Amino acid sequence: QAQLVESGGGLVQTGGSLRLSCAASGRTFSSYTMGWFRQVPGKEREFVAAISRGGGGIKYADSGKGRFTISRDNAKNTVYLQMNSLKPEDTAVYYCAAAGGTRWPPSEYDYWGQGTQVTVSS
């Protein structure tokens, strides 16, 4: 029954930065592993990053390594994605997701946000 709402997307130039936020409803946020995904029209959804329940486990896709940072604040029921050195190929709708299982890293996610658009211009 978790509800996730992303924010922080927008239009930036190549080399710029954005910080995405995902606010979760409910009182069990700390029980979920959180992840970020992205998708462009006509393409499959792509994994970006994941963070474990306590924040001690971090995983990045090769596409974002060295440029993206995932973090969470369980007191605020919020997960973040800091994106630096953005490239046009990063243009996509970015989705926040929650996994309720115990596996690390998660093999599947149970809840998804509505997405926020990120556009990087040349």
Side-chain angles (χ1 to χ4, degrees), residues 77-94:
N77 281 15
T78 303
V79 63
Y80 306 94
L81 184 68
Q82 177 68 45
M83 303 187 293
N84 299 325
S85 302
L86 284 164
K87 309 172 182 179
E89 63 198 60
D90 295 317
T91 295
V93 176
Y94 283 71

Side-chain angles (χ1 to χ4, degrees), residues 22-39:
C22 173
S25 65
R27 302 175 64 187
T28 59
F29 176 76
S30 62
S31 297
Y32 293 93
T33 292
M34 302 298 298
W36 286 97
F37 295 77
R38 66 188 186 186
Q39 188 171 28

Side-chain angles (χ1 to χ4, degrees), residues 29 32-36 47 49-59 70-73 79-80 104 106 109:
F29 176 76
Y32 293 93
T33 292
M34 302 298 298
W36 286 97
F47 171 78
I51 185 168
S52 63
R53 292 168 174 79
I58 300 289
K59 183 179 180 182
I70 188 171
S71 62
R72 69 190 296 161
D73 186 339
V79 63
Y80 306 94
W104 174 256
Y109 289 79

